[in-house]
Amino acid sequence: MSAWHQGGAHAVMLAHGITADLAEQGLFPDLADRLAAAGFSVLRFSFRGHGRSEGKPCDMTIAGERLDLHTAVESVGRPVPVVASSFGAVSTTLSLGELPIRSLVLWQPVLDLRRTFLEPELPRGRKLHGDRTSLRQQGFLDIEGRFELGTRLFEEFAELDPRAAFLASDGPALVVHGDAERRGSPGRERNSADPRPLSVPRPQVANR
């Protein structure tokens, strides 16, 4: 499922987070309209297992999201800036070495999978991911009735390191993260931006 906002010759692509879809809980349509008004054409899309795209949430994997991202970037037909929100940063940063991503904006990104999902540090993360009884018994972890995180996804959490992939890249990047984060590890995620060309931490921006 995808949507184009026509605004000009230069394109921007938006990658949403987990439990969301191409609307990113209402944030992306507004952002896309503003970018279109500024002269950019904008592509929004839903990863597999999200929104109206094919697949079940519990079968969603990072590997699958990387394939979806590849298809979306290819559809633009030229190097494209990407705005990746929350979990959208995972597939995006892991794909930086293989896709023509011209520049990158990470908006409240999830980069440390272990400290966000496997060993959650903050109260919100512990509430959502700390009790994995249903993962063992049913093969998925239910997130407040909004999404199901499957077994293979948790295996990927232990195998993959988006933060290292981001730090190994050298393209222009902007990281926007706040100090009211409830789910991930904001200090570590903000520190990931230190060696990068440009970073602007923004206070009082809470992750969902």
Side-chain angles (χ1 to χ4, degrees), residues 106 108-117 119 121-122 160-167 175-179 181 183-196 199 201:
L106 300 180
Q108 57 184 23
V110 172
L111 293 176
D112 192 326
L113 296 174
R114 178 168 296 279
R115 296 169 71 177
T116 300
F117 294 99
E119 301 169 8
E121 296 182 336
L122 298 181
L160 301 173
D161 190 347
R163 182 174 183 270
F166 175 60
L167 293 177
V175 178
V176 182
H177 218 304
D179 58 6
E181 173 68 71
R183 185 170 173 178
S185 302
R188 183 171 173 82
E189 311 295 34
R190 285 198 303 271
N191 291 341
S192 298
D194 290 347
R196 308 293 282 122
S199 64

Side-chain angles (χ1 to χ4, degrees), residues 14-25 28 45-48 50-51 53 65 83-89 91 208:
L14 309 183
H16 67 79
I18 207 164
T19 78
D21 60 9
L22 78 173
E24 185 63 18
Q25 301 186 4
F28 275 3
F45 70 99
S46 291
F47 287 108
R48 64 186 65 192
H50 295 75
S53 289
E65 289 206 345
V83 178
S85 174
S86 191
F87 196 80
S91 56
R208 60 186 178 279

Side-chain angles (χ1 to χ4, degrees), residues 18-20 25 57 124 128 142-148 183 208:
I18 207 164
T19 78
Q25 301 186 4
R124 178 67 169 166
L128 294 178
D142 182 86
I143 303 298
E144 299 179 322
R146 297 182 292 123
F147 204 81
E148 298 170 352
R183 185 170 173 178
R208 60 186 178 279

Side-chain angles (χ1 to χ4, degrees), residues 56-174:
K56 299 178 180 179
C58 62
D59 294 329
M60 183 274 287
T61 63
I62 295 170
E65 289 206 345
R66 292 178 68 180
L67 291 175
D68 296 338
L69 185 71
H70 189 102
T71 299
V73 171
E74 277 194 337
S75 74
V76 176
R78 56 190 180 277
V80 60
V82 176
V83 178
S85 174
S86 191
F87 196 80
V90 175
S91 56
T92 304
T93 54
L94 290 171
S95 302
L96 286 175
E98 60 195 46
L99 292 180
I101 295 175
R102 192 175 73 185
S103 58
L104 181 64
V105 175
L106 300 180
W107 186 1
Q108 57 184 23
V110 172
L111 293 176
D112 192 326
L113 296 174
R114 178 168 296 279
R115 296 169 71 177
T116 300
F117 294 99
L118 300 181
E119 301 169 8
E121 296 182 336
L122 298 181
R124 178 67 169 166
R126 290 194 293 269
K127 177 183 177 181
L128 294 178
H129 316 128
D131 183 358
R132 293 195 281 274
T133 302
S134 67
L135 184 67
R136 295 188 296 270
Q137 295 179 347
Q138 303 178 57
F140 63 84
L141 179 64
D142 182 86
I143 303 298
E144 299 179 322
R146 297 182 292 123
F147 204 81
E148 298 170 352
L149 309 182
T151 301
R152 177 55 192 149
L153 186 61
F154 271 85
E155 293 172 349
E156 290 178 314
F157 291 158
E159 299 166 356
L160 301 173
D161 190 347
R163 182 174 183 270
F166 175 60
L167 293 177
S169 66
D170 58 5
L174 169 67

